[in-house]
Amino acid sequence: MAAYGRIAGSGVLKTCDLNRILEALKLLLSPGGSGSSSLQITKRDVLLATLKSNLSDLEDKFLKDPHWTTLKLLRDEIANKIEWPQNSVDVTWSFTSQTLLLLLCLKEAMFCLAADFNPGKPNPRTPEAAPALSPDTLSISQQKTVQSVLQFVVTLGVCPYLMPGVGVPLRYKTEFVAVVQDLVRLDAAPSATRRLYSSCRVLVNVAQHASLGSLIFCHHFGDIAAGLCQLGFCPTKRKPQKPMEEVLNEEERALSRGALRDILDQVYQPLAVRELLILQGGPAQPCTDGKTQVGSLAPAWLRRLCGQLLSERLMRPSGVQAVVRGILEGAGAGAAGGSDAEVMAADWKKCDLIAKILASCPQQSLSPESYYEDICPQILDLFHLQDKLTARQFQRVATTTFITMSRERPQLAAKYLLQPVLAPLHRCLNTAEIPEHDVVPGTILVTEEELSTCIEDVFKVYVVGNEPLTVLMDSLLPVLGVLFSLYCFTKQSVSHIRSLCQEILLWILGKLERKKAVASLKGFAGLDKSVPSFHSLCQFRAATQGGIMITIQEAIRSKEDEDEALYQKVSSEQCQVEHLGDLLFLCQECGLAGDFFIFCLQELTQVAAEDETELKTKLFSSKSLLELERHQSLLVEGQERKLLILQLMAVLCERVSEQIFTNITQVVDFVAATLQRACASLAHQAESTVESQTLSMSMGLVAVMLGGAVQLKSSDFVVLKQLLPLLEKVSNTYPDPVIQELAVDLRIAIATHGAFSTKAVAVVAAQSTLNKRDSEGKIEEQQQTNYKRFTDVANSHLEQQQSNEKSNHQTGLKSDNTPLIPQEVNEPSTTTSQKSGNITTEELQEVLLSAYDPQIPTRAAALRTLSYWIEQREAKALEMQEKLLKIFLENLEHEDTFVYLSAIQGVVLLSDAYPEKILLGLLAQYDSSKDKHTPETRMKVGEVLMRIVRALGDMVSKYREPLIHTFLRGTRDPDSAHRASSLSNLGELCQRLDFLLGSMVHEITACLIAVAKTDREVQVRRAAIHVIVLLLRGLSQKATEVLRDVLKDLYHLLKHVVCLEPDDVAKLHAQLALEELDEIMRNFLFPPQKLEKKIVVLP
């Protein structure tokens, strides 16, 4: 269809000017008449008159202007070769025909210019110079002219002749296009089909030139494709119903079909997908007024055709990206994300639609397996796009498609999606066979890029997709051991995939069945060797780009290497157990941590029940050396398992919190495991105090549950009945008669579903509840007493300091200078009964000048006078608050103690009057660098701040956050003295706040831990530990509530200081803090028993 013959070798073509052709096109587009009227009929008449006038002007140019002769000859030569009528009664078709002829002339002229163009060789002396421009290149204005011409051609020559439902209707385009609908005469020759065929044929031919093709297809591809679909695929009628109707022959229809496939292969594939979707009747079309209109329903043949063509686009190389881009960009996301990218990323419905399209096997495919084999690699490539905005959308589509395919065809998804994604992890399993050529030490088994890509893809599919499908769970289950080993390795250093591994493990453990999850945890801990794990020959290593790679371990060549390998193995196993505890700490809400804790308790019971005498064998008694060696290896493995269980129990008891049990079943299992261990100890006659206390605690827990602390249901009693045999055994065998009686009573209460509860059960339950309340009351009373005692001591210290300052003040006045302080200042008056407003402006100015006097007694006396006036709320003094603050702050830098202490007192009194303004400025000055203020001045400002804190009293809680943040920033100051001072101030501030720190307790403890561990100066480390001691002593029994989330970290810090701190004073402080913490936890876990009776006197 596009095969118009080139007019190569024609002299007319070589002499034709490109600008002349564009001038002729401009002439056809020149406006005429007036279109200002709003009536439709007026616009129609004006447009018809303009088209006729422009055609007439063009013919006059050809006939009268000799410069246009060459163009006329070229146009006539091309017109003689075409096979479609050019003249018609319909003015619109005559205009379209002339425009199409000029476009063909333009195309031939541009080809001729490009063929004669011979660019010279680039000059090596000026490599930065731009290359010569081809003569067939159109300028910006020329491109605008061509675009306008194409708009007219498509509007007058293509759109009016499309069938209803084919393409976008004219009424949904611009207002001008809507006028054309009534302008075209379909009853005039040639027929509508012939006109459409001729227009599409010429446009496809003109598009052979690259520049013209981009202009045509970027704006009018949809209309041209709609015309070709109608010409080549619309079902034909045997006989036309009307005389003017014409049916194309089979050759013309075949040319139309071929042209359609050619332009579909030629254009940008997302554009082709988008236009085919519009032709199929998908999205609604916007109008000029911004409203959304719904077009006519596309015919059935067109919908089938578009579906077939879309399937062909999908089956091509990179077809998945083309389909996704076509749908997303058509929705407004833009080629690179666009302004609506964030909105598009959140549109899950659109992603589900694309996923369903990609997961559906088209009819053109040979089989679903072959389709999945071709499409799945492209879907996996969607995960790895680099552009951020586009990648976010494509990854969401890929995740949804991944899940949809796994749901609809799990076997094919496992083969073509999951296996490629998880291949790097399968490669290093202990069940995998490593090829001989890869067993060389140092060989990279999994590269850094492969491992990072694998973990990121698994995170996107499993965690982001969040669909616990069976095929997904079964595929990930074998490689969980490798994932956990990788997670443990990332915990040793900084890695960007640590959080991904943690999220994947938490997700899979939460979604798995509880038995499978516990089995996986057993494999992580090394208790179950049958669970696939990391290959013993493999090791993780840090890569050059900050990632991790998997290599083959180096061979052991010496005794030192063997010792180092053994040490690394032992330390790695210990770290894995600790990291498992960290992982279980995050799994408490789902109940997995409780189930695994109960499993470890049951294993511990089995360890206690084993009789060591049964494992001993007679040496050299009818056993060969091989059998003896095997037996010894079994004994070693058994001992390793016991040690591992004990280590697990220690880690779990240290890491998990008291909220580990989430339901009644877990509590009952815990009690059952405790009773079994007690019975096992009795069987071996190994009763101990710890066992007795544990047994009492567990039975007390059951008594509290039966006593009404928990609302029990009938199903809960079914679970509790599991304890009946164990309670019976305890009641028969335990030597303590009190526990025997309690066990019997508990059996009765459980068997009767709580209908009959003996007095012993009620007493135990009541004691447990009352002891807890009494202990809390005692803690609160003790804290109040301690706070009152601390307040009294602080007030007495403050009064003593103030009296000392007054004595110093009176001593300083004994000089030759005239005293500037009134008589009232010398009197120790503490009331405000004196009259205010008795100072004059002259007195105030004189005192202000004296504040800068070089004589120390005079300056100090002036500062004291100003402080007194501020305290008495003298109006004239308070009006100059900013100036007074400046005077006090400048005197803070004085080296004499008497002067700067007086300045400190003045700032404190001024802040008492205006705390909002003064305090924030002082905080900024305290937080400044060395360059602005000397260290001594900043220390003095710190003293001012602490006096302000004491003066504010309970109001200090309003300024809690800025004060704490300032002191925390002070701990990072380069000056060690300032760091120690900040920590000291922080400790006193916590005391003044009554340790009501709220959520900031995490920031404070993190800062204290970091300083105590990493600071180089001994004084700073001592100060940090001293603050911790203050926290524990001040909170006392409330520490378990206020410091609940950070108490474990503080305990680890104190243990670290005691073991590794070189300073003896810091060690002593840490040891005292540990003793305080030990006392707190003992009182919390084992509250003192109170044997008392309450006597009530009745009235």
Side-chain angles (χ1 to χ4, degrees), residues 173 478 501 581 597 620 741 778 1034:
K173 296 189 176 182
C501 293
F597 183 74
F620 306 104
E741 182 183 359
K778 182 178 179 182

Side-chain angles (χ1 to χ4, degrees), residues 144-159:
K144 290 183 178 179
T145 301
V146 174
Q147 287 178 356
S148 302
V149 170
L150 292 173
Q151 181 71 31
F152 267 95
V153 170
V154 173
T155 303
L156 298 176
V158 177
C159 294

Side-chain angles (χ1 to χ4, degrees), residues 1004-1024:
I1004 295 174
T1005 53
C1007 174
L1008 295 176
I1009 292 172
V1011 171
K1013 284 186 176 181
T1014 62
D1015 202 283
R1016 298 180 180 179
E1017 298 295 329
V1018 176
Q1019 297 295 336
V1020 182
R1021 296 199 301 271
R1022 289 179 182 176

Side-chain angles (χ1 to χ4, degrees), residues 943-1018:
E943 175 63 20
V944 173
L945 289 173
M946 297 318 299
R947 291 197 180 189
I948 294 174
V949 167
R950 300 185 195 109
L952 287 174
D954 294 338
M955 289 296 295
V956 73
S957 60
K958 180 180 179 181
Y959 310 98
R960 176 182 65 183
E961 294 186 5
L963 284 167
I964 292 179
H965 287 160
T966 301
F967 294 144
L968 288 178
R969 286 192 298 269
T971 60
R972 298 183 299 177
D973 195 87
D975 187 17
S976 60
H978 188 75
R979 296 199 302 272
S981 175
S982 299
L983 289 171
S984 177
N985 295 338
L986 181 63
E988 185 175 354
L989 177 62
C990 293
Q991 289 179 332
R992 293 293 173 179
L993 290 170
D994 199 14
F995 302 97
L996 300 177
L997 305 177
S999 59
M1000 302 187 69
V1001 67
H1002 298 278
E1003 300 179 39
I1004 295 174
T1005 53
C1007 174
L1008 295 176
I1009 292 172
V1011 171
K1013 284 186 176 181
T1014 62
D1015 202 283
R1016 298 180 180 179
E1017 298 295 329
V1018 176

Side-chain angles (χ1 to χ4, degrees), residues 118-183:
N118 185 18
K121 296 182 179 180
N123 188 359
R125 296 182 179 179
T126 58
E128 69 279 359
L133 198 62
S134 177
D136 65 335
T137 305
L138 298 177
S139 65
I140 301 299
S141 61
Q142 291 173 345
Q143 289 183 15
K144 290 183 178 179
T145 301
V146 174
Q147 287 178 356
S148 302
V149 170
L150 292 173
Q151 181 71 31
F152 267 95
V153 170
V154 173
T155 303
L156 298 176
V158 177
C159 294
Y161 312 115
L162 295 177
M163 298 173 58
V166 179
V168 181
L170 283 173
R171 63 182 182 272
Y172 297 149
K173 296 189 176 182
T174 62
E175 185 178 0
F176 166 74
V177 176
V179 177
V180 178
Q181 190 171 8
D182 299 331
L183 192 65

Side-chain angles (χ1 to χ4, degrees), residues 276-571:
L276 288 175
L277 288 172
I278 295 175
L279 285 178
Q280 198 176 25
Q285 301 300 323
C287 290
T288 56
D289 58 354
K291 299 180 179 179
T292 302
Q293 303 284 350
V294 181
S296 302
L297 184 64
W301 64 268
L302 182 60
R303 295 197 300 270
R304 291 193 299 270
L305 173 63
C306 291
Q308 180 181 355
L309 294 175
L310 284 170
S311 299
E312 292 177 359
R313 299 301 99 193
L314 179 63
M315 299 295 293
R316 289 166 56 90
S318 301
V320 172
Q321 283 197 32
V323 171
V324 177
R325 288 183 184 272
I327 297 176
L328 294 181
E329 293 174 9
S339 59
D340 297 333
E342 295 296 328
V343 178
M344 188 59 233
D347 191 357
W348 279 101
K349 294 182 180 179
K350 184 74 67 175
C351 298
D352 291 339
L353 174 63
I354 300 175
K356 291 179 181 179
I357 293 175
L358 297 178
S360 302
C361 179
Q363 297 178 354
Q364 291 85 349
S365 181
L366 298 177
S367 64
E369 185 168 2
S370 63
Y371 172 73
Y372 272 60
E373 186 177 1
D374 295 335
I375 294 299
C376 289
Q378 298 186 44
I379 294 174
L380 296 179
D381 291 338
L382 297 179
F383 285 119
H384 310 140
L385 295 180
Q386 299 299 322
D387 184 70
K388 292 184 178 179
L389 290 177
T390 306
R392 184 175 180 181
Q393 304 167 38
F394 278 56
Q395 289 169 8
R396 182 158 290 180
V397 171
T399 299
T400 312
T401 307
F402 203 115
I403 293 172
T404 305
M405 287 183 166
S406 301
R407 185 186 299 111
E408 295 183 358
R409 298 184 182 273
Q411 295 180 351
L412 295 179
K415 182 177 180 181
Y416 295 107
L417 286 176
L418 290 166
Q419 285 185 6
V421 169
L422 300 174
L425 300 180
H426 280 285
R427 214 176 300 163
C428 51
L429 279 175
N430 60 349
T431 56
E433 295 183 1
I434 301 177
E436 294 183 0
H437 58 83
D438 288 339
V439 187
V440 181
T443 303
I444 299 177
L445 200 61
V446 179
T447 64
E448 174 186 6
E449 183 180 0
E450 286 179 334
L451 189 59
S452 299
T453 302
C454 171
I455 299 300
E456 291 172 359
D457 291 350
V458 171
F459 176 81
K460 294 168 187 174
V461 173
Y462 286 84
V463 181
V464 177
N466 196 21
E467 284 287 339
L469 301 177
T470 304
V471 62
L472 296 179
M473 311 292 281
D474 294 343
S475 299
L476 188 61
L477 196 59
V479 297
L480 284 183
V482 180
L483 270 175
F484 179 72
S485 300
L486 177 60
Y487 168 71
C488 295
F489 182 80
T490 58
K491 294 280 284 186
Q492 301 175 10
S493 60
V494 178
S495 177
H496 68 283
I497 63 175
R498 179 199 300 172
S499 60
L500 302 181
C501 293
Q502 177 176 304
E503 293 296 330
I504 294 170
L505 290 172
L506 291 176
W507 184 89
I508 188 69
L509 291 174
K511 300 296 182 180
L512 278 173
E513 297 178 4
R514 192 48 52 90
K515 292 183 179 180
K516 292 184 178 180
V518 173
S520 300
L521 293 175
K522 289 163 58 178
F524 295 167
L527 295 175
D528 190 355
K529 302 298 182 182
S530 62
V531 177
S533 59
F534 194 54
H535 203 288
S536 58
L537 295 178
C538 301
Q539 66 175 357
F540 295 106
R541 290 182 59 186
T544 56
Q545 300 299 324
I548 299 171
M549 59 183 178
I550 301 176
T551 61
I552 301 297
Q553 290 184 357
E554 298 291 339
I556 299 176
R557 300 177 180 178
S558 62
K559 179 65 175 178
E560 295 180 355
D561 294 343
E562 184 177 356
D563 295 340
E564 179 66 22
L566 180 60
Y567 172 76
Q568 292 293 339
K569 180 178 181 297
V570 173
S571 61

